Amino acid sequence: MEDNRSKSILIIYTGGTIGMIKDSVTGVLSPFDFDQILDEVPELKRFGFNLSTISFSPVIDSSNLNPEVWIKLVKLIKENYKKYDGFVILHGTDTMAYSASALSFMLENLDKPVIFTGSQLPIGTLRTDGKENLISAIEIAATEKNGQALAPEVCVYFENKLMRGNRTTKYNSEHFNAFESPNYPNLAEAGINLKFNYGAIHYSVSHKELKIHTELDTNIAVLKIFPGISKETIHTILNIKNIKAIILETYGAGNAPTEKWFLNELKNVINKGKIILNVTQCSAGSVDMTKYETGNALLKSGVVSGFDITTEAAVAKLMHLLGQKLDIDTTKSMLNKSISGEISK
Ligand code: ASP
């Protein structure tokens, strides 16, 4: 039996478009006072949930976000973990996929829903998508069956779709349907009913205590190759001082030029102990460096496969793994496996 009565949900408002409301007199958009959420979105009262809110001060446009915000969020979740059945994080859409990815690595043994949502239009505007996103995210965070939360993962809910957070990418800057999970099925769909895709959702069997990881190392770079990219560009990026890992965004199934100078540049930095992680520029599909000569040359040079990871999840995973200060072989082997459902391996 699903039973969602008297659930306690903590809503954490970080900023972004969703939290804007139009002043009825001046018409100016200003941040919404989340203490008054039940007055502003009266529909929420009908759930009968116990809703609490924490608002960042100041709120931030997510384009200004940095990993300190992720640390603040996981600490807030840890402090409030026992008090609440689920968490809804209201966040700007621009970097939501990065934040959801990061939290999926930073919250080990998560057994309660942490649902990111936001909107393309402010909650205070007539055609807003914010109300539906907020209401459904709260309902999903509160839904359980026989004491088990039905979506106990870090997720993104947007426009009828619940997705595994570290599989998402923002792919449309205008449509309400702004997020995709190109390489993993949706965890739930919200139509007349909420339909959970149980087979795709991770349910903990060990129910260990939540452990948070707050060590992140930002000494990474993303290098997107393109036809005609110069040796100087490649050399400069690969050799940035203190850089420990580079995400190489390659063509198709993980292919890149086989020119000698290019492969030598890669080999040189790999020999110095840096990691090069191969992630495809395609919005869907996986790296397979055994498929073509152009991918195989990378493999032979010591490049690590990112498989079907998104760039957003690769950024978060590298920051997290480098923050653990593991030896290089362990870090590479962790990149080769799924820590939090981020790759299909
Ligand atoms: N720039 C905004 C942000 O990411 C856009 C949004 O909220 O959708 O914070």
Side-chain angles (χ1 to χ4, degrees):
M1 256 286 285
E2 287 180 21
D3 177 10
N4 310 331
R5 283 164 302 170
S6 54
K7 291 284 153 203
S8 294
I9 304 297
L10 179 61
I11 304 169
I12 305 173
Y13 173 51
T14 66
T17 301
I18 189 166
M20 299 283 161
I21 191 144
K22 213 179 220 164
D23 186 285
S24 54
V25 182
T26 62
V28 171
L29 286 172
S30 54
F32 179 111
D33 178 359
F34 268 85
D35 291 340
Q36 275 143 39
I37 195 164
L38 290 177
D39 298 332
E40 302 290 356
V41 190
E43 296 90 330
L44 291 174
K45 287 189 187 136
R46 291 173 41 199
F47 279 137
F49 300 152
N50 166 20
L51 298 176
S52 304
T53 59
I54 294 179
S55 188
F56 274 29
S57 177
V59 290
I60 47 169
D61 184 304
S62 79
S63 301
N64 280 324
L65 178 133
N66 62 51
E68 292 302 314
V69 171
W70 302 337
I71 296 170
K72 190 168 162 183
L73 283 171
V74 294
K75 284 186 176 164
L76 270 177
I77 291 171
K78 175 79 177 166
E79 278 161 28
N80 289 286
Y81 198 65
K82 293 214 166 86
K83 281 208 303 226
Y84 294 93
D85 299 294
F87 301 84
V88 171
I89 302 180
L90 301 177
H91 193 291
T93 56
D94 289 344
T95 59
M96 191 186 292
Y98 289 92
S99 294
S101 298
L103 263 63
S104 78
F105 301 118
M106 296 165 80
L107 294 167
E108 192 180 336
N109 305 326
L110 182 70
D111 204 11
K112 292 184 179 182
V114 173
I115 317 288
F116 278 81
T117 196
S119 67
Q120 294 282 60
L121 279 177
I123 206 155
T125 57
L126 209 53
R127 289 178 54 249
T128 186
D129 50 332
K131 277 195 184 181
E132 194 281 320
N133 285 346
L134 174 63
I135 291 168
S136 297
I138 293 173
E139 184 168 3
I140 289 166
T143 302
E144 65 150 54
K145 204 172 187 175
N146 304 326
Q148 168 66 62
L150 290 192
E153 294 202 21
V154 178
C155 305
V156 167
Y157 178 82
F158 223 86
E159 185 70 3
N160 306 327
K161 297 185 297 199
L162 183 74
M163 294 158 277
R164 176 169 289 165
N166 58 30
R167 294 299 197 135
T168 58
T169 188
K170 182 176 179 183
Y171 87 112
N172 199 307
S173 61
E174 291 178 17
H175 288 181
F176 286 152
N177 190 5
F179 286 87
E180 281 274 282
S181 168
N183 288 328
Y184 198 73
N186 294 337
L187 304 185
E189 258 151 51
I192 295 175
N193 298 308
L194 289 175
K195 268 203 186 149
F196 289 88
N197 184 2
Y198 299 108
I201 300 171
H202 172 74
Y203 294 103
S204 160
V205 273
S206 55
H207 302 291
K208 288 193 195 140
E209 197 172 329
L210 179 75
K211 183 173 169 198
I212 62 168
H213 297 276
T214 54
E215 315 76 20
L216 297 166
D217 189 333
T218 56
N219 285 306
I220 64 165
V222 180
L223 170 53
K224 181 171 187 161
I225 59 162
F226 55 87
I229 191 165
S230 72
K231 184 173 175 187
E232 197 186 351
T233 304
I234 297 277
H235 181 83
T236 309
I237 295 177
L238 294 183
N239 290 284
I240 295 171
K241 199 167 156 241
N242 296 332
I243 221 81
K244 295 183 184 143
I246 299 105
I247 296 164
L248 187 69
E249 279 201 358
T250 56
Y251 309 127
N255 304 313
T258 46
E259 283 171 83
K260 241 198 163 113
W261 68 262
F262 176 74
L263 295 172
N264 283 341
E265 286 289 344
L266 298 181
K267 273 188 222 157
N268 279 342
V269 294
I270 291 168
N271 289 340
K272 285 185 197 153
K274 296 184 190 183
I275 294 169
I276 309 232
L277 182 66
N278 188 351
V279 174
T280 177
Q281 291 178 14
C282 294
S283 28
S286 182
V287 162
D288 178 357
M289 291 190 280
T290 61
K291 221 168 174 175
Y292 296 94
E293 198 192 344
T294 42
N296 210 247
L298 295 182
L299 186 63
K300 287 194 185 130
S301 307
V303 170
V304 180
S305 176
F307 301 98
D308 59 350
I309 200 164
T310 59
T311 298
E312 292 90 330
V315 164
K317 186 172 180 177
L318 278 172
M319 284 189 191
H320 165 69
L321 288 177
L322 295 172
Q324 308 295 296
K325 299 192 170 53
L326 309 163
D327 63 71
I328 182 130
D329 291 335
T330 313
T331 306
K332 284 184 178 174
S333 79
M334 298 293 277
L335 287 168
N336 269 308
K337 59 182 181 211
S338 161
I339 303 177
S340 200
E342 72 284 0
I343 53 176
S344 308
K345 263 218 109 196

